[in-house]
Amino acid sequence: MSQTSGVQHQPAAELIVNALQKIKKLAGHRKHADLSDQCQHLIDNIHEVLSPQYAARAAQRLAAAAAATTAAEPPSAPTDQGAPAAEADGSVEPGEQGQVQRTSSTSASGAPAGSNGDAAPTSAADDSATAAAEAAAEAARAAKAKRDADAARLAAAAQATPAPANDLVQRTDSAISDAAAMAVMQVLSMAVDTLRSNIVEAALDLVHKLIAFRYLQGAAHGLPSDKHEDEPPAAADASKLKSAADLAQPAATQVTPQALAVQLICRCDEIPDEGVEVLLLRGLLTASTSLTFTLHGQALLLAVRTCYNLHLMSRSEVNQTTAKAALTQMLNVVFQRMEAGSVKVAVSWALWWGRLIDYCIHIMAVRQATVATRMSAVYCIHKEFPS
């Protein structure tokens, strides 16, 4: 990874590492050993995952898979066409260069080594040692040239990789790649699967910060109506971090990391915990009002349905009121953007602050009622049993 990209994504790396370390600490039980291993492997490889080369490899794998699918219909030509092409280009494999040089040296001498009399053994040994040294040096130069060419090609592909076609807003420089976001979301998916409130809260907090700090950007469009369908499978081998080739399989391209983030947030509505519900509402409100992360189609419908269900089914009166205010704010932003015909519509902060003030007043009223109840109980006890 280049120094510029490393400095650019350093805040995102620190944010992800801190959250993963917290999740790993909370998932210390043997039952969640796979989650701990995946967190540790992602922590160890976080700079590689956030590098442009990682995204370029994923993009190349996707392009290769699409090309293979397109070319699979007609029967392929004979499989040994690579050798004539290599001969036509004049390129020679590194392992064959020593043989070519030895052949040329033998032909230049004009006769086999044994036909030169007494000096033949010495000259043959010198020629073979020289040929071996030249072959090794040539192979090393060819390997270095190949590594440099691959690095240059990956860097160029990373710079030239355009944003996905379904993005309605141009991504900023602070955004991490979709391949890196998918690697993070897969670990967070395992964290949500534990159904432990403290682990789920850490996962929701990380998703919210990635969207709020504009590290996770893009548009969430296609999403299954059932939020438990079409999820990427969990890692089968916990001893190895998923590579860009694994993340770029055609089956996994149906769900983008943006859509998966919305899925993860909405899946948490089944956990009966007030803290999880508050973080869920905060994440959905941030995702729906962000200028760099947009919800469309099924993703937007799922977010609205989750807020509505939480308003109806939550056991906390405060969370019910918060869900109603969040749903109202989400719909207001959607209609403002629709009427303006642009995603870049500032959120109505007056309405937002009004909802926030109402929420704070409601909390203060609940606390005052609780204090008044406690004071009346203490007064009754002192009146009944005077000291």
Side-chain angles (χ1 to χ4, degrees):
M1 182 175 60
S2 62
Q3 184 177 1
T4 304
S5 60
V7 174
Q8 178 180 346
H9 294 298
Q10 185 65 26
E14 293 179 356
L15 176 65
I16 296 173
V17 167
N18 292 336
L20 292 179
Q21 288 177 346
K22 182 178 180 180
I23 294 175
K24 179 187 175 184
K25 183 178 179 180
L26 295 174
H29 195 270
R30 184 180 302 176
K31 181 179 179 182
H32 307 301
D34 292 344
L35 175 59
S36 299
D37 293 339
Q38 287 296 317
C39 289
Q40 184 60 46
H41 286 296
L42 186 55
I43 291 173
D44 296 337
N45 298 272
I46 187 63
H47 293 289
E48 177 186 357
V49 171
L50 295 179
S51 65
Q53 289 78 9
Y54 188 86
R57 285 194 293 269
Q60 288 180 353
R61 289 291 301 178
L62 287 174
T69 303
T70 305
E73 299 179 357
S76 59
T79 57
D80 56 350
Q81 290 182 353
E87 294 177 0
D89 294 338
S91 59
V92 183
E93 294 295 331
E96 299 176 357
Q97 294 175 356
Q99 182 179 358
V100 173
Q101 293 178 355
R102 287 193 296 270
T103 304
S104 61
S105 63
T106 303
S107 60
S109 62
S115 62
N116 290 333
D118 297 335
T122 304
S123 61
D126 294 341
D127 292 342
S128 39
T130 303
E134 292 178 355
E138 190 68 25
R141 286 194 296 269
K144 183 178 183 302
K146 184 176 183 302
R147 289 194 301 267
D148 295 342
D150 291 342
R153 185 173 64 254
L154 288 175
Q159 295 294 333
T161 300
N166 56 1
D167 284 354
L168 300 182
V169 180
Q170 184 68 27
R171 299 190 184 188
T172 62
D173 296 336
S174 62
I176 63 177
S177 64
D178 285 351
M182 183 63 75
V184 176
M185 290 304 157
Q186 286 180 344
V187 178
L188 297 183
S189 177
M190 297 178 63
V192 173
D193 290 338
T194 61
L195 299 180
R196 290 179 53 181
S197 59
N198 51 0
I199 298 179
V200 174
E201 287 178 1
L204 288 176
D205 184 65
L206 177 57
V207 175
H208 162 73
K209 289 180 179 178
L210 288 176
I211 299 175
F213 297 158
R214 299 186 177 184
Y215 297 138
L216 179 60
Q217 300 182 14
H221 287 270
L223 192 67
S225 57
D226 184 2
K227 52 181 174 292
H228 295 285
E229 293 180 358
D230 292 343
E231 296 176 3
D237 186 9
S239 63
K240 182 172 62 176
L241 181 70
K242 286 183 177 295
S243 62
D246 298 329
L247 298 175
Q249 295 298 327
T253 58
Q254 297 178 358
V255 178
T256 62
Q258 294 80 12
L260 184 57
V262 179
Q263 272 188 335
L264 292 180
I265 296 175
C266 295
R267 281 170 54 193
C268 300
D269 64 345
E270 300 177 356
I271 301 177
D273 184 84
E274 294 184 5
V276 172
E277 292 175 354
V278 171
L279 292 177
L280 184 153
L281 293 173
R282 185 183 67 171
L284 289 180
L285 186 59
T286 302
S288 59
T289 58
S290 174
L291 296 179
T292 57
F293 189 96
T294 55
L295 302 182
H296 309 276
Q298 295 177 348
L300 180 60
L301 291 177
L302 180 59
V304 171
R305 187 181 67 180
T306 302
C307 290
Y308 182 78
N309 292 339
L310 194 59
H311 172 68
L312 294 179
M313 306 301 296
S314 178
R315 300 177 181 178
S316 172
E317 183 179 355
V318 175
N319 289 348
Q320 288 181 355
T321 305
T322 307
K324 180 180 178 181
L327 180 59
T328 304
Q329 179 69 15
M330 289 168 56
L331 295 179
N332 286 335
V333 171
V334 170
F335 277 94
Q336 287 177 13
R337 292 175 175 176
M338 180 187 66
E339 292 174 355
S342 174
V343 178
K344 296 182 179 181
V345 174
V347 180
S348 178
W349 292 109
L351 178 61
W352 165 251
W353 282 111
R355 299 291 181 182
L356 181 60
I357 293 173
D358 293 340
Y359 173 68
C360 295
I361 292 175
H362 179 76
I363 291 180
M364 293 174 61
V366 171
R367 290 182 178 178
Q368 290 176 359
T370 304
V371 172
T373 303
R374 291 179 180 177
M375 293 297 295
S376 61
V378 172
Y379 175 78
C380 293
I381 291 175
H382 281 285
K383 186 177 180 181
E384 187 70 21
F385 304 99
S387 56

